[in-house]
Amino acid sequence: MRNTLRELRASKGWTQEQLGQALGVSRQAVNALETEKHDPSLDLAYRIAVLFDRPVEAIFDNPHV
């Protein structure tokens, strides 16, 4: 699933580790999301949206839908 997570994280000046801590996930999980190797759970997608104060669909885009 395409996403803008890397850009959003960079705009805050956060490392993957810092974002992971804010979301309660590992740095590796953040990396997997940013490189589009894994899709977030609905819960995690919602937490990301709340953290960046944006709608989920403004961060994640599923090109297969």
Side-chain angles (χ1 to χ4, degrees), residues 5 9 15-35 38 40 44 47-48 51:
L5 192 54
R9 177 179 60 78
T15 65
Q16 288 181 341
E17 182 70 30
Q18 290 168 320
L19 178 56
Q21 288 176 353
L23 295 170
V25 300
S26 68
R27 180 202 59 78
Q28 292 87 348
V30 171
N31 181 268
L33 291 170
E34 288 186 354
T35 58
H38 293 286
L44 181 55
R47 286 187 281 145
I48 291 168
L51 182 66

Side-chain angles (χ1 to χ4, degrees), residues 50-62:
V50 168
L51 182 66
F52 289 105
D53 194 30
R54 295 178 186 235
V56 170
E57 55 273 5
I59 301 171
F60 298 97
D61 177 44
N62 187 346

